[in-house]
Amino acid sequence: NIATFTIAGSTISSSSGTINLTPSGSNSVLYQASLIVNSDLQITTNTIGTTTLNDNLSINTTGTGQVNVNSNVLVNGDLHATGNITADGNITLGNQTTDTVTFDAVTP
């Protein structure tokens, strides 16, 4: 036991609740392997994923916050949007003569 910390086997715990890792200056906290949060979320190198098969991964903001992606996005699967879609730039639908583009709309 050191202050409010207990080290037992491979576990470091604190009787005061939250453990803050705060390096001095602008240095980063460096972790050398996978980080698992609440046994549900795993961060490994440049991948964020779930640890449970077929579980959803949600990115949520509070209030009017936004999720900003400042690079290209590649979706290997279906993409579904609820709400409006705005595109500033060119739009390409399909890349083969065998592709099907379907427009379904309701007349107001």
Side-chain angles (χ1 to χ4, degrees):
N1 291 328
I2 303 170
T4 61
F5 292 96
T6 300
I7 301 172
S10 62
T11 301
I12 300 173
S13 58
S14 171
S15 60
S16 65
T18 302
I19 299 173
N20 294 306
L21 302 175
T22 310
S24 64
S26 61
N27 296 320
S28 300
V29 174
L30 185 60
Y31 189 74
Q32 301 294 333
S34 293
L35 176 64
I36 297 178
V37 180
N38 289 335
S39 74
D40 298 322
L41 179 71
Q42 181 171 355
I43 302 171
T44 306
T45 59
N46 65 343
T47 301
I48 300 173
T50 62
T51 59
T52 305
L53 183 65
N54 299 323
D55 205 2
N56 293 333
L57 176 64
S58 299
I59 301 173
N60 298 313
T61 62
T62 57
T64 59
Q66 298 179 354
V67 175
N68 297 308
V69 179
N70 297 313
S71 188
N72 295 335
V73 175
L74 175 63
V75 177
N76 289 311
D78 296 337
L79 177 64
H80 176 88
T82 300
N84 298 323
I85 298 174
T86 302
D88 298 328
N90 299 324
I91 300 174
T92 302
L93 301 173
N95 65 353
Q96 300 287 324
T97 58
T98 56
D99 290 342
T100 301
V101 178
T102 303
F103 293 93
D104 292 328
V106 176
T107 305

